[in-house]
Amino acid sequence: MKQEKEMPFNGDFEDSEADDDEVSQESESEEEQIQVKKKKKKVVNSSKKLIMNVSDTQYPVVKFVGKMIYKFKLSYVPYLENNNWDFCWTDNAVLPETLSKMQPHQRINHFPGMYSLARKNHLGRNLNKMQKQYPDDYDFYPRTWMLPSEYGDFKAQFQKGKAKTFIVKPEASCQGKGIFLTRSIDSINPQEHYVAQRYIHKPLLIDGLKFDLRMYVMICGCDPLRIYLYKEGLARFATQLYSSPHSTNLEDACMHLTNYAINKDNPNFIFNEDEKKMDVGHKRSMTSYNQQLVIQKQNVDQLLSDIKDLIIKTFCAVQPILQQNYTQVENYANNMCFEILGFDILIDSSLKPYLLEVNHTPSFTTDTPLDSYIKKNLIRDAITLMNINVKTKNDIISQKKDQMQKRVLTGKKTKLSYEEKRVLKMQAQKERDEYESRNKGDFELIYPCDKSYDEYLQHAQKLYEDWTGANIRRNMKRDTIAELPKPQSCTQKPILNQKSQLYKHVQSKVNTNLYPTKTTKADQEVTQEEPEQILQQGQEPILSQPQLEPDNFVTYEDYQQSESLKDLYNFAEKRIPEIQLIDLIQFRRAESKQDNSSFQMIQMSQQNSLSNLSPLMQIKSIQDQKNEKKFSIRKQNKQLKQFDQEQLYFQPQPHYQPPIQQHSISYQQQVQIQNGSFVKPKVFSLKLQHPPKGYKLQSLPILMQQNYTKQRYEQGV
């Protein structure tokens, strides 16, 4: 590792293999290139060298560290088109879809959802939410307004008499673009999207110059949080002596702004030309800055402690968002993503740190030897800390193969319990702690730490649930459970669920058809027994028909709850002859109204054919013939077969149709579909999941016939 630190980097790097790949691709035909690309998408790299994808980065220092220090093979094929890489470095944000396509051994240098910190408007909004709950703990950033949504509140700041200075930034910009200072609300367009902050009038000065700190923070885990702070950073100075803002110097950006992109073009800017002289120029190292504070007799340790606390609280505000976007279920080590963030921190005259903004893609340009030295070592230590090497890759792939073999042998995927997953996470985290403690380089682990931040994390989780509506769904579910009635004792009638309501509805239908409301004198003696038997069986009237589920059956538990089910059907079976007799009487009444001779002849033939049978068998024979299916399906033309009138017992008049035939014709009209075919009618029946031993629940086709009887009673036929 010492030899790696001594490897010089002058700021320029060219990869010779990239040129060779381009030449070879030009020489190949287009068809061969397409075939090669298809193979690369399917095949995972199995060589001894790891592949580092640098297709989406512009910084030579990244390629230098990967190629010269770690001996990676650099790939310039877009990482979204080709998954044949082990480590990807990109200068842009990463989407959750990209993370879901990655293999367990692959690593990428961004977390999805980091916009919650990197965008100025999202950062201000998240910190403002936390400040409402913890005003004393979240006072480490200037008061912030998001425009135009908070334009009214921001406008009120100019109406209190005393002039105030505000710094206004575009919500999605970098390198100081579009930033200006103002003391008047008229200079702000109420339709534009800005982030406005109170200007800190009394900053800490060194050599009479205003400065800020660019501190590099590495987050390498979001569930749980795992945060490292790099010991070395940059102190960026303004190029003109500082004076408090007033109306004459508000436009002097090189006095009030410390951005390197703004001040490097100023003639007063002094470049650092020797990495060993880190305290010279307008860009200095953190080490030299700390030494300067020691000379001024400032408490450097307390300042560093406050900065660490500031960084951790900032991550606590967005941890639920990062966790939600990091959707790697089987990544128990929590190490597929890492990200190096640039925290811009301003120190005031009382040595209090203020967070200005967070950069998710800090600049890795190497204009000076100081930049080359710090940023090269930063990237090198980050790759080492993430344990990106061939051995780790092979171990992960072998574990994946073992899981696949077990799945093939057993024929099913093994599902781990919550306790087993927790044990695997603890084991992976223990192994990671042991490795990182030996290979952290110049990084310092600042979280987890001795101080507890659970209170902030829990409140951030609550805010996230309020924002996404997850708490509303949870409260609705809790209220629904609370509203359910408590289970009653065995002596009381149990509450029936939806399927048992079906059984209850069937009982009501049976009772309704057995005991119609409109009865004849011959039936009065039979119907007088209805109230007593219903009370004995514990029946209750049904006000409305329940919604039936597709699987129409009665659960075994509901069957056990109703002891009178078998008796009910035995009773219904005994009443069938009586019902059929009533039906015959009503049918004879309709016959007597007909004067058609052909109808009387058919009637006489029916009586002669049935005269040899007993009255009960005659009724049963007539009823069975009425219930026969009167239609069929033809495969060729799919048209309904015409009824043979000779097969019927009688020829009705146009103004009268027997109930069975009338129902058959209406049913045929209902089931016919566009192509002329017919749907097979369903037979209504009840089934038990676990019927009692030796008992089979009878089907109830009789309900269809009984409905016709009830309909005739209601119509007064």
Side-chain angles (χ1 to χ4, degrees):
M1 194 62 74
K2 291 182 179 180
Q3 294 179 358
E4 294 174 358
K5 290 183 179 180
E6 295 175 358
M7 184 174 292
F9 174 65
N10 56 6
D12 296 329
F13 177 75
E14 293 183 1
D15 186 17
S16 59
E17 291 186 5
D19 299 335
D20 297 339
D21 293 341
E22 293 176 0
V23 174
S24 61
Q25 290 178 1
E26 291 177 359
S27 61
E28 295 177 354
S29 62
E30 294 182 359
E31 295 181 357
E32 293 177 351
Q33 291 180 11
I34 294 173
Q35 293 179 358
V36 171
K37 288 182 179 179
K38 289 182 179 179
K39 291 180 180 179
K40 286 183 178 180
K41 289 181 180 180
K42 296 181 180 179
V43 179
V44 179
N45 175 42
S46 59
S47 61
K48 294 183 179 180
K49 278 190 175 183
L50 297 182
I51 296 179
M52 179 179 181
N53 192 297
V54 292
S55 61
D56 196 27
T57 182
Q58 60 178 339
Y59 300 115
V61 64
V62 176
K63 303 174 185 178
F64 173 82
V65 173
K67 178 75 174 182
M68 304 305 297
I69 297 180
Y70 286 97
K71 308 301 179 183
F72 292 153
K73 181 180 179 181
L74 303 185
S75 173
Y76 294 88
V77 181
Y79 71 95
L80 294 176
E81 299 178 4
N82 187 355
N83 200 34
N84 185 25
W85 48 266
D86 303 299
F87 172 45
C88 178
W89 190 286
T90 175
D91 298 338
N92 298 307
V94 173
L95 299 176
E97 292 79 6
T98 303
L99 189 63
S100 62
K101 298 177 183 178
M102 290 173 53
Q103 300 295 326
H105 68 277
Q106 291 178 321
R107 303 287 183 269
I108 196 166
N109 70 318
H110 281 289
F111 273 93
M114 196 55 72
Y115 63 87
S116 55
L117 280 182
R119 291 284 294 266
K120 298 177 179 64
N121 56 336
H122 287 277
L123 175 64
R125 186 177 297 110
N126 291 325
L127 292 180
N128 284 343
K129 291 179 180 179
M130 297 294 291
Q131 190 183 45
K132 290 180 180 180
Q133 181 69 19
Y134 306 102
D136 297 333
D137 297 333
Y138 277 81
D139 62 344
F140 52 78
Y141 68 102
R143 189 176 179 185
T144 306
W145 293 266
M146 271 60 67
L147 306 179
S149 60
E150 298 178 355
Y151 182 81
D153 188 18
F154 179 66
K155 185 178 180 180
Q157 304 298 317
F158 296 88
Q159 300 176 358
K160 295 182 179 180
K162 186 178 180 181
K164 299 178 183 178
T165 305
F166 297 89
I167 182 169
V168 183
K169 311 173 185 179
E171 63 180 21
S173 66
C174 59
Q175 297 181 350
K177 299 176 183 178
I179 300 178
F180 62 93
L181 273 68
T182 183
R183 306 184 80 178
S184 173
I185 189 63
D186 298 333
S187 60
I188 299 176
N189 185 354
Q191 304 298 329
E192 294 291 335
H193 289 261
Y194 288 110
V195 175
Q197 290 182 330
R198 281 293 306 270
Y199 185 82
I200 299 176
H201 290 259
K202 298 180 179 180
L204 181 65
L205 304 178
I206 293 181
D207 298 336
L209 300 175
K210 182 181 178 181
F211 67 94
D212 71 348
L213 302 177
R214 165 59 63 86
M215 305 193 72
Y216 296 103
V217 180
M218 180 175 173
I219 174 175
C220 52
C222 63
D223 184 23
L225 275 177
R226 197 167 185 84
I227 308 171
Y228 282 89
L229 175 64
Y230 198 63
K231 295 181 180 179
E232 195 61 271
L234 295 172
R236 305 175 302 180
F237 289 79
T239 51
Q240 292 187 11
L241 296 177
Y242 177 80
S243 62
S244 298
H246 50 80
S247 57
T248 59
N249 66 358
L250 289 179
E251 297 181 358
D252 195 347
C254 293
M255 176 188 296
H256 301 290
L257 303 181
T258 58
N259 300 75
Y260 173 72
I262 294 176
N263 287 277
K264 68 177 181 179
D265 297 329
N266 192 292
N268 298 330
F269 189 85
I270 300 175
F271 286 87
N272 177 275
E273 297 180 356
D274 188 358
E275 65 180 27
K276 296 181 180 180
K277 297 180 180 180
M278 299 183 180
D279 57 347
V280 178
H282 288 89
K283 185 187 288 187
R284 307 176 188 178
S285 67
M286 280 284 299
T287 303
S288 63
Y289 160 76
N290 292 333
Q291 292 176 356
Q292 192 73 21
L293 293 182
V294 171
I295 294 174
Q296 296 181 4
K297 297 182 179 179
Q298 301 286 354
N299 191 346
V300 179
D301 295 336
Q302 182 61 39
L303 175 62
L304 291 177
S305 177
D306 294 341
I307 291 175
K308 294 175 185 177
D309 183 70
L310 174 155
I311 294 171
I312 297 172
K313 289 179 180 177
T314 303
F315 278 109
C316 289
V318 299
Q319 188 270 342
I321 302 176
L322 299 179
Q323 179 182 352
Q324 183 66 23
N325 285 273
Y326 186 83
T327 55
Q328 293 301 309
V329 180
E330 297 182 357
N331 182 229
Y332 301 114
N334 189 27
N335 63 348
M336 289 185 67
C337 297
F338 73 97
E339 189 157 357
I340 299 175
L341 301 168
F343 275 67
D344 293 344
I345 298 174
L346 180 70
I347 313 298
D348 68 358
S349 58
S350 61
L351 216 66
K352 179 180 179 179
Y354 286 90
L355 176 65
L356 301 180
E357 62 182 40
V358 179
N359 298 273
H360 76 107
T361 55
S363 174
F364 287 102
T365 56
T366 52
D367 297 343
T368 65
L370 179 64
D371 287 323
S372 300
Y373 175 78
I374 294 177
K375 294 174 182 179
K376 178 198 69 174
N377 294 338
L378 170 65
I379 298 171
R380 179 208 62 207
D381 291 348
I383 296 175
T384 303
L385 191 65
M386 290 305 298
N387 196 12
I388 302 175
N389 53 62
V390 177
K391 182 180 181 302
T392 303
K393 172 191 172 182
N394 294 335
D395 292 342
I396 295 174
I397 293 177
S398 62
Q399 292 177 3
K400 197 71 176 177
K401 288 182 179 179
D402 294 341
Q403 294 177 2
M404 291 298 295
Q405 290 178 357
K406 291 181 181 178
R407 184 175 181 180
V408 171
L409 294 175
T410 58
K412 59 181 180 179
K413 186 177 181 180
T414 56
K415 294 184 179 181
L416 301 178
S417 63
Y418 174 78
E419 186 64 25
E420 291 174 340
K421 291 180 180 179
R422 190 178 68 85
V423 172
L424 289 176
K425 287 182 179 180
M426 293 178 60
Q427 182 179 358
Q429 194 61 54
K430 182 179 179 181
E431 295 176 357
R432 186 175 181 181
D433 292 339
E434 294 176 354
Y435 172 83
E436 292 179 357
S437 62
R438 300 190 305 266
N439 300 276
K440 59 184 178 181
D442 290 335
F443 278 103
E444 179 187 359
L445 181 66
I446 62 175
Y447 189 85
C449 59
D450 297 336
K451 185 178 178 180
S452 176
Y453 291 85
D454 294 341
E455 183 180 3
Y456 308 120
L457 291 172
Q458 293 175 1
H459 184 68
Q461 182 67 33
K462 180 179 179 299
L463 293 175
Y464 179 76
E465 291 177 354
D466 293 341
W467 177 56
T468 57
N471 63 330
I472 298 176
R473 294 189 295 269
R474 185 184 300 108
N475 294 337
M476 290 177 61
K477 185 176 180 181
R478 187 185 301 112
D479 295 342
T480 303
I481 296 174
E483 290 176 359
L484 291 177
K486 297 181 180 180
Q488 300 178 355
S489 60
C490 299
T491 57
Q492 298 179 353
K493 186 174 181 179
I495 299 170
L496 302 179
N497 56 13
Q498 193 175 21
K499 292 182 179 179
S500 60
Q501 286 179 0
L502 170 63
Y503 160 70
K504 191 175 180 182
H505 175 64
V506 171
Q507 284 185 322
S508 176
K509 284 289 183 181
V510 172
N511 295 330
T512 304
N513 290 308
L514 290 176
Y515 310 104
T517 56
K518 202 169 186 179
T519 60
T520 61
K521 294 181 179 180
D523 301 329
Q524 289 180 358
E525 297 179 358
V526 179
T527 56
Q528 288 176 358
E529 301 175 0
E530 176 191 358
E532 298 179 359
Q533 294 187 3
I534 292 178
L535 292 175
Q536 292 176 2
Q537 297 174 4
Q539 302 299 323
E540 293 182 0
I542 304 299
L543 299 179
S544 62
Q545 181 176 353
Q547 297 180 357
L548 307 183
E549 295 184 0
D551 50 344
N552 296 328
F553 61 89
V554 182
T555 59
Y556 179 62
E557 292 77 4
D558 296 336
Y559 171 77
Q560 289 179 332
Q561 293 167 4
S562 177
E563 299 177 354
S564 62
L565 181 61
K566 187 174 180 180
D567 298 334
L568 176 64
Y569 283 101
N570 293 334
F571 176 76
E573 247 178 82
K574 295 178 181 179
R575 299 298 299 274
I576 288 176
E578 299 174 358
I579 296 171
Q580 292 175 346
L581 182 60
I582 296 170
D583 184 62
L584 182 60
I585 294 172
Q586 296 296 329
F587 180 72
R588 294 290 177 85
R589 288 179 180 177
E591 284 180 338
S592 62
K593 298 178 183 179
Q594 308 301 325
D595 297 331
N596 194 324
S597 61
S598 62
F599 178 83
Q600 294 177 358
M601 292 177 63
I602 295 173
Q603 180 181 3
M604 293 177 64
S605 64
Q606 292 176 0
Q607 293 175 358
N608 294 332
S609 62
L610 300 176
S611 60
N612 297 328
L613 301 177
S614 62
L616 185 60
M617 294 301 295
Q618 293 177 12
I619 296 172
K620 186 175 182 182
S621 176
I622 293 173
Q623 190 65 35
D624 292 341
Q625 294 179 13
K626 286 182 180 181
N627 291 333
E628 290 179 357
K629 299 180 182 178
K630 305 300 183 182
F631 59 88
S632 61
I633 301 173
R634 298 183 62 179
K635 296 183 178 178
Q636 296 179 357
N637 52 12
K638 296 184 178 179
Q639 295 181 356
L640 182 65
K641 291 183 178 181
Q642 300 295 331
F643 289 126
D644 188 3
Q645 298 295 335
E646 296 180 357
Q647 296 178 359
L648 299 174
Y649 293 111
F650 56 87
Q651 179 68 31
Q653 293 297 324
H655 67 276
Y656 172 78
Q657 286 183 342
I660 303 298
Q661 183 181 0
Q662 181 181 3
H663 174 75
S664 176
I665 295 173
S666 64
Y667 187 80
Q668 293 168 11
Q669 295 175 356
Q670 292 177 3
V671 301
Q672 188 173 8
I673 57 179
Q674 294 181 0
N675 60 1
S677 62
F678 293 87
V679 182
K680 184 178 180 181
K682 295 182 179 179
V683 178
F684 184 81
S685 62
L686 298 178
K687 298 180 181 179
L688 295 177
Q689 281 185 337
H690 306 285
K693 185 176 180 181
Y695 174 73
K696 182 178 179 181
L697 182 62
Q698 300 179 4
S699 61
L700 296 179
I702 189 174
L703 290 181
M704 299 173 62
Q705 180 259 332
Q706 291 170 356
N707 286 331
Y708 310 148
T709 305
K710 179 183 177 182
Q711 183 179 4
R712 290 197 299 277
Y713 286 142
E714 293 175 352
Q715 294 178 357
V717 178

